[in-house]
Amino acid sequence: MATEASAVDTPEAYADLLNEIEQVNAIESASEILSWDQQVMMPEGGTPARSKQLSTLSSLSHELLVDGPVGDLLDQLEDESLTDDQEAVVREVRRQYVRAERVPSELVEEISEATSEALGAWESARENDDFEEFAPHLRRLVDLKRQYAEHIDSEADPYAVLFADYEPWLPLSQAESILDELRETLVPLIEDIRASEVDLATDAFEGTYDTDTQEDLSREVLELLNYDFGRGRLDVSTHPFTSGNQFDCRVTTRFDERDPIGALTSTIHEFGHAYYTLGLPDEAFGTPLGDHRNLSVHESQSRLWENHIGRSEAFWDLLLPKFKDAFPEADDLSSRAAYEAANQVYDENFIRVEADELTYHLHIIVRFEIERELISGDLAVDAVPERWNELYEEYLGITPPSDAMGCLQDIHWSHGSFEGVIESVTHEDAGCWNCVYERQHPARGDFYRR
């Protein structure tokens, strides 16, 4: 698909480059659909075939990028007069190409196969609360990712190399500085909030809520937010996620009969991802101009919708009639009480995706610090559960009662994704954490406004 210039104005090499990169992206889009299916609909026995399918597609897209004419086309465009959009496309393709050509196709294929196999192992280990079941897969992925980073830049910090896959224009040192400030400020702030005697409606949603009804309500919420079901769908997965492009962007969530707020905030969070993706320009599909800017921008949008909108009192004024229609037993619930309950800072907060807005960052920091130690070789995989619990006790004052509620809670490592820093390095979450701080009433110490 064309970006902005007419065929007359477009250098032939640029048109050829677009054609090549659109083919690469088409293969990657197909891989993404297969990955979505594996997490949502694929029968349990399908993993061996799916691993081979995904590894083959990864190898094909890698070979098409590095062994085809892309490198020569980039050279031809060095001295061409290009529009701003064309220059942006060439810059982004060159960045991808330079990194990709340094990595052997065999390693790309092996990483893909390893992540596909690790997903099923993680789901089983989490369900059985058995880290040892997942440990061999994590060990293999850590080793493969070290090799990957070594091929790209043997002189650089390997974690910084991995970080650049998700955030190419933000130095890791700047991200670390943000996390340091968050950690130093949030730990004592959370302690002060827990010591507060302010009485909030933290029990407003006590009871049980039918999960099928919760799913129907989540669909109503997505319709209320103008989610385009003509280009998307809602499903259930072990770990909520969003997958797709501007023509087909799907969201998943999960349900707990004792926690209707968790399902709603997760659904709204994933809507934020999808809303951003569905807003990308249709005409640029398959090119860098039709892709998201980076992962931190993506997270800023999901957290914006989840927290600044989905946890606001105005939103609960709008949503409460629908909630009461779904759950008549909540007829006495006020929007103010719902608002306070949705914005409480929990005393025991083990699960990141169910965390309150404030302590959420510390969950990210724990995963980030462990990832750094794993990739550097300072932490053995077998020691992860103990290290995870140690950091939770240090930063949050709690110790997870099980690995399922501790180091096995997140899906990211099964994907070979070592980028825990990203989810806190966003404008609304990190750059503006002081805005959250200022909402704490200086006299009463209450903290329920997001």
Side-chain angles (χ1 to χ4, degrees):
M1 296 184 181
T3 52
E4 70 165 20
S6 68
V8 175
D9 300 326
T10 302
E12 183 178 353
Y14 180 80
D16 290 343
L17 180 68
L18 277 188
N19 181 62
E20 293 296 324
I21 204 64
E22 285 171 358
Q23 291 183 59
V24 172
N25 287 332
I27 295 174
E28 293 176 350
S29 291
S31 296
E32 192 169 7
I33 287 294
L34 288 177
S35 296
W36 170 88
D37 176 75
Q38 183 177 13
Q39 297 176 67
V40 175
M41 302 183 72
M42 188 189 79
E44 291 183 7
T47 298
R50 187 55 46 86
S51 296
K52 185 61 177 177
Q53 292 160 357
L54 289 171
S55 65
T56 299
L57 288 175
S58 292
S59 179
L60 285 173
S61 64
H62 182 264
E63 290 173 2
L64 186 60
L65 178 61
V66 302
D67 295 336
V70 170
D72 290 339
L73 293 170
L74 288 170
D75 290 341
Q76 293 174 38
L77 290 167
E78 281 282 356
D79 299 320
E80 287 281 1
S81 178
L82 302 173
T83 67
D84 290 344
D85 281 359
Q86 290 170 346
E87 286 182 354
V89 168
V90 171
R91 181 192 67 233
E92 291 301 302
V93 173
R94 181 177 287 111
R95 180 182 60 80
Q96 296 170 26
Y97 173 79
V98 167
R99 289 174 68 86
E101 71 167 344
R102 298 174 181 174
V103 182
S105 295
E106 296 80 9
L107 179 58
V108 172
E109 190 169 347
E110 187 176 0
I111 290 173
S112 177
E113 186 173 333
T115 57
S116 185
E117 294 172 356
L119 175 61
W122 168 77
E123 290 177 333
S124 177
R126 183 176 179 272
E127 182 177 356
N128 297 328
D129 187 24
D130 183 7
F131 179 77
E132 291 184 3
E133 184 178 352
F134 179 60
H137 297 272
L138 179 58
R139 193 175 295 110
R140 181 186 181 193
L141 286 170
V142 168
D143 179 62
L144 290 173
K145 284 296 187 171
R146 285 176 181 156
Q147 293 180 44
Y148 172 85
E150 175 77 12
H151 279 289
I152 291 176
D153 189 346
S154 61
E155 301 298 321
D157 176 350
Y159 192 84
V161 176
L162 300 180
F163 178 76
D165 273 344
Y166 304 94
E167 190 63 56
W169 307 113
L170 176 69
L172 178 59
S173 59
Q174 184 176 348
E176 289 179 309
S177 176
I178 293 171
L179 293 190
D180 287 344
E181 187 174 3
L182 280 168
R183 181 178 51 249
E184 292 169 6
T185 305
L186 291 183
V187 170
L189 176 59
I190 291 168
E191 291 175 355
D192 289 345
I193 291 167
R194 286 175 173 164
S196 169
E197 297 180 358
V198 172
D199 185 22
L200 301 177
T202 56
D203 60 352
F205 290 96
E206 282 192 354
T208 58
Y209 298 82
D210 176 71
T211 55
D212 289 339
T213 307
Q214 286 191 54
E215 184 171 356
D216 292 339
L217 180 61
S218 288
R219 293 183 186 279
E220 287 194 59
V221 168
L222 289 175
E223 290 174 353
L224 181 66
L225 297 174
N226 288 325
Y227 176 62
D228 186 354
F229 277 99
R231 296 192 180 198
R233 53 183 290 139
L234 172 67
D235 291 279
V236 179
S237 63
T238 304
H239 189 98
F241 71 98
T242 303
S243 175
N245 53 65
Q246 52 266 62
F247 295 103
D248 176 4
C249 192
R250 310 173 185 195
V251 301
T252 74
T253 191
R254 68 186 184 195
F255 302 99
D256 182 339
E257 64 177 8
R258 297 162 300 172
D259 182 22
I261 295 297
L264 288 172
T265 53
S266 291
T267 301
I268 295 170
H269 178 103
E270 300 307 330
F271 163 80
H273 283 302
Y275 194 66
Y276 173 43
T277 297
L278 290 170
L280 295 170
D282 290 356
E283 68 277 6
F285 173 67
T287 79
L289 296 181
D291 200 2
H292 64 85
R293 183 65 186 90
N294 49 42
L295 195 55
S296 65
V297 170
H298 237 308
E299 287 299 329
S300 76
Q301 298 310 291
S302 60
R303 301 282 287 162
L304 169 70
W305 280 94
E306 176 190 355
N307 294 320
H308 289 281
I309 297 172
R311 297 184 193 268
S312 68
E313 190 168 5
F315 183 78
W316 275 100
D317 284 336
L318 183 64
L319 178 61
L320 196 57
K322 294 181 180 295
F323 190 91
K324 291 182 178 180
D325 286 344
F327 300 106
E329 62 269 31
D331 187 59
D332 293 334
L333 182 64
S334 69
S335 58
R336 181 65 189 187
Y339 162 68
E340 292 184 3
N343 287 280
Q344 63 182 289
V345 175
Y346 300 108
D347 290 331
E348 292 190 346
N349 193 344
F350 299 107
I351 305 295
R352 177 185 62 84
V353 297
E354 299 169 2
D356 57 78
E357 182 186 4
L358 188 65
T359 58
Y360 183 95
H361 305 283
L362 294 176
H363 292 265
I364 299 298
I365 290 170
V366 167
R367 197 171 86 222
F368 166 70
E369 293 189 5
I370 289 176
E371 288 176 3
R372 287 287 264 147
E373 294 172 0
L374 278 172
I375 297 300
S376 69
D378 293 335
L379 179 68
V381 167
D382 291 342
V384 165
E386 180 181 357
R387 181 60 172 155
W388 185 283
N389 293 351
E390 177 184 281
L391 290 176
Y392 264 68
E393 178 61 39
E394 181 179 351
Y395 298 155
L396 287 161
I398 58 176
T399 300
S402 66
D403 290 342
M405 297 184 70
C407 60
L408 286 174
Q409 65 177 270
D410 275 332
I411 196 172
H412 301 73
W413 292 344
S414 72
H415 289 323
S417 298
F418 298 95
E419 35 55 81
V421 62
I422 297 291
E423 291 166 88
S424 270
V425 183
T426 67
H427 172 73
E428 72 98 341
D429 278 333
C432 288
W433 63 264
N434 55 306
C435 300
V436 179
Y437 180 91
E438 289 166 2
R439 292 175 190 153
Q440 181 186 16
H441 193 285
R444 299 184 300 159
D446 54 343
F447 196 101
Y448 49 81
R449 167 116 181 146
R450 299 278 178 148

